[in-house]
Amino acid sequence: MKDVYMGADKSYVVAWYRDKLDHAGQERLKAIVGPFRDGIQKREGGDYWRDLFCWPSAIVQDGQKTGVVAPVYGQGFFFKHGSVQGDVLGIRGKEKEGKWFASASNRAKYLAAEEKGTWLSYLQVALSISRSVRRLHAAGLAHSDLSYKNVLVDPLTGKACIIDIDGLVVPGKYPPDVVGTPDFIAPEVIATQHLPKTDPNRKLPSTATDRHALAVLIYMYLFYRHPLRGGKVHDMDATRDEELTMGSKVLFVEHPTDASNRVKAADLKPAQLPWGDPAKMPYTIAGPLLAELFRRAFIDGLHNPAARPTAADWETALVRTIDMVQPCSAKCDMGWYVFDNTTRPKCPYCGTAYKGQLPVLNFYSSRGGTDFRADNHRLMVWDGQSLFPWHVNRLHFPNEHLKPEHRKRAGYFQKHQGDWYLVNENMPTMYDASANQDVPIGKNIKLTDGAKILLGREEGGRLIHVQLVSG
């Protein structure tokens, strides 16, 4: 739709529309580079969003031609290494489109090891995308075409950047230009696409369809397969079969009671294994918090858009899931896994079990001073791990509203001669509730089974209950 040219100083690009924009298109662009951009980037925490969106900054005209000015992507969003077979695909220097990272066969056959990242970094990528979508929806905007074509990712840093902002949907004012990208279009959009756009029963891209696409993206980045493409065939005509498979007859490949769309492992290629087979890598390895959201997205929400998790739901669950990761003892390619506190610690990717004791910290926080309630939040400890203010107090959350002083480390964990310790770096009211004594800044406390440690006495301050699990 556009021809793109690099700016003189290589800090921006100008993208010229090939077709003349009508009045509605011109007004949409003015709103996107004007009030919508200002509403996100010029309010509190605005700087936080600059790297998470490639947001157009200006409109340019050349006769009848219209263009938009947009910043150049950060260097992390370009491949530094070529494909594994001498860069036969010519990806070195190209943008890191998500398709390379959301497919088990693409990862195995084409990506250099230096580009793949770890499983923890994909959790962080999913978190970045969730935060961005949450902010769009809070502003009353829908992307309308969330897909791995319009989200750049950097698995080395865990960052993501949403692009193609100039097509944003404002419900009731600026309708969508496109219905989306195959694999990410919501079932209700596909099922009603035969109806005229003016028909009230026709479903078009909206925040509800964004939520479906977001869930698909997260699933694909964590499991390198599609959640809805299984082995079931509905019609011998390929076009009709696609409409039914992704529309009115859509079914989760890991549905707990309907196995008719299970992946046929015998049909998978070696490069797709083990990830392509849900029986070997089920969605539950993402831990209980994400597993619940996948159930809501792909069971409850497939045909009921109102039941789909919001972007904020994904953001909260991902923050808490990242706190539950454990480094693989064998340092396998995935590097990390989620320990859900229901089994002995064991990497699901390489099968290596952890040997020894590991502390799990269960969080409780104060309501009114002395009333502590469970937060459904736990922290899996590993050697060298940091403790941050959002762990110390439930009133802090790692997002755009976090103040600079709340981004600094408050403490860290250390393993010494088989024992685990928490070192207090910046928790002035830390208290050992089991021994009834203060733990001053600069001191440490040994983590023992059943120990209770108050990290902060202010409102929202957290009490941790230590549980030692054995590998």
Side-chain angles (χ1 to χ4, degrees):
M1 294 177 63
K2 296 185 288 287
D3 295 312
V4 182
Y5 299 89
M6 182 70 71
D9 65 356
K10 297 186 178 182
S11 68
Y12 67 94
V13 298
V14 179
W16 294 98
Y17 288 88
R18 294 173 181 171
D19 298 326
K20 183 179 179 180
L21 292 182
D22 58 17
H23 177 73
Q26 292 278 1
E27 292 302 305
R28 182 206 301 267
L29 269 187
K30 290 178 183 177
I32 289 171
V33 303
F36 295 146
R37 180 175 182 269
D38 292 346
I40 290 179
Q41 295 194 357
K42 292 188 177 181
R43 291 188 177 180
E44 179 191 8
D47 289 342
Y48 184 89
W49 303 109
R50 295 184 190 277
D51 294 334
L52 275 70
F53 295 107
C54 185
W55 204 289
S57 58
I59 301 173
V60 289
Q61 296 285 157
D62 183 10
Q64 296 295 312
K65 295 182 65 176
T66 301
V68 291
V69 180
V72 171
Y73 315 135
Q75 286 300 308
F77 295 116
F78 294 91
F79 282 105
K80 293 183 179 179
H81 301 273
S83 48
V84 293
Q85 298 174 340
D87 200 23
V88 292
L89 299 178
I91 64 175
R92 185 185 290 113
K94 298 291 182 66
E95 297 95 338
K96 290 183 179 179
E97 284 190 10
K99 68 179 181 181
W100 298 108
F101 304 97
S103 160
S105 58
N106 280 350
R107 282 173 46 85
K109 291 167 61 177
Y110 303 125
L111 292 189
E114 296 89 344
E115 301 281 11
K116 290 182 179 180
T118 66
W119 208 69
L120 172 57
S121 65
Y122 285 97
L123 287 170
Q124 294 166 334
V125 162
L127 177 57
S128 293
I129 300 170
S130 299
R131 283 176 171 153
S132 301
V133 175
R134 185 256 298 167
R135 186 64 186 90
L136 284 179
H137 291 182
L141 304 170
H143 188 280
S144 81
D145 192 15
L146 275 178
S147 71
Y148 48 45
K149 289 177 59 179
N150 292 325
V151 178
L152 301 182
V153 300
D154 180 14
L156 302 183
T157 62
K159 294 181 179 179
C161 179
I162 294 184
I163 65 175
D164 227 13
I165 299 295
D166 54 314
L168 292 177
V169 171
V170 183
K173 189 173 183 180
Y174 300 120
D177 289 330
V178 296
V179 296
T181 299
D183 278 348
F184 301 92
I185 304 173
E188 66 271 19
V189 174
I190 294 176
T192 62
Q193 63 185 350
H194 63 284
L195 299 174
K197 285 190 176 182
T198 55
D199 190 317
N201 294 315
R202 174 78 181 267
K203 303 300 181 183
L204 296 172
S206 64
T207 55
T209 65
D210 274 359
R211 280 190 249 163
H212 171 78
L214 174 62
V216 174
L217 272 173
I218 293 173
Y219 184 96
M220 293 188 74
Y221 282 132
L222 295 184
F223 306 111
Y224 317 121
R225 60 179 183 256
H226 198 280
L228 309 175
R229 293 198 177 277
K232 192 169 187 176
V233 176
H234 296 279
D235 198 289
M236 295 308 295
D237 178 78
T239 300
R240 179 60 179 158
D241 182 63
E242 176 72 5
E243 291 175 354
L244 294 172
T245 297
M246 303 303 284
S248 60
K249 300 295 184 180
V250 66
L251 181 66
F252 186 30
V253 298
E254 299 186 74
H255 196 288
T257 59
D258 187 343
S260 62
N261 196 34
R262 289 284 190 266
V263 172
K264 296 179 180 179
D267 294 338
L268 298 176
K269 298 177 181 178
Q272 294 175 282
L273 295 171
W275 291 100
D277 185 1
K280 294 183 178 179
M281 293 294 179
Y283 72 98
T284 51
I285 65 174
L289 301 179
L290 293 182
E292 173 60 25
L293 294 191
F294 285 130
R295 286 189 286 269
R296 285 171 54 189
F298 300 132
I299 299 175
D300 304 334
L302 272 184
H303 299 287
N304 179 14
R308 292 169 187 160
T310 66
D313 291 334
W314 286 108
E315 180 182 13
T316 299
L318 283 159
V319 166
R320 294 184 176 185
T321 297
I322 288 171
D323 278 342
M324 295 166 64
V325 298
Q326 178 68 24
C328 175
S329 302
K331 297 180 174 58
C332 69
D333 289 344
M334 289 295 106
W336 301 80
Y337 61 94
V338 174
F339 174 59
D340 63 7
N341 205 27
T342 60
T343 59
R344 292 179 180 272
K346 180 181 178 181
C347 177
Y349 320 120
C350 69
T352 302
Y354 181 87
K355 296 181 180 179
Q357 285 191 320
L358 280 173
V360 180
L361 309 184
N362 297 285
F363 287 160
Y364 298 78
S365 59
S366 64
R367 272 79 166 173
T370 58
D371 181 20
F372 286 85
R373 302 178 188 176
D375 288 333
N376 190 29
H377 190 171
R378 59 179 58 91
L379 184 67
M380 195 70 200
V381 175
W382 41 272
D383 194 18
Q385 184 188 26
S386 297
L387 196 68
F388 289 96
W390 57 85
H391 297 125
V392 175
N393 191 298
R394 69 174 176 85
L395 300 181
H396 304 314
F397 191 79
N399 60 17
E400 72 274 20
H401 301 298
L402 200 65
K403 297 179 180 178
E405 61 268 26
H406 295 147
R407 298 179 186 275
K408 299 178 181 179
R409 191 170 73 172
Y412 65 93
F413 299 92
Q414 191 171 41
K415 187 177 184 181
H416 179 66
Q417 295 182 349
D419 293 322
W420 291 91
Y421 297 88
L422 168 58
V423 180
N424 183 1
E425 286 186 304
N426 192 28
M427 293 176 280
T429 59
M430 185 174 169
Y431 181 74
D432 182 349
S434 298
N436 296 318
Q437 63 183 23
D438 293 327
V439 181
I441 291 176
K443 299 297 183 179
N444 64 65
I445 181 172
K446 183 178 178 181
L447 302 181
T448 58
D449 192 46
K452 295 180 180 179
I453 304 169
L454 184 61
L455 301 179
R457 304 190 192 200
E458 66 279 4
E459 176 63 20
R462 282 216 167 97
L463 175 75
I464 57 175
H465 185 269
V466 179
Q467 175 188 7
L468 290 181
V469 299
S470 297

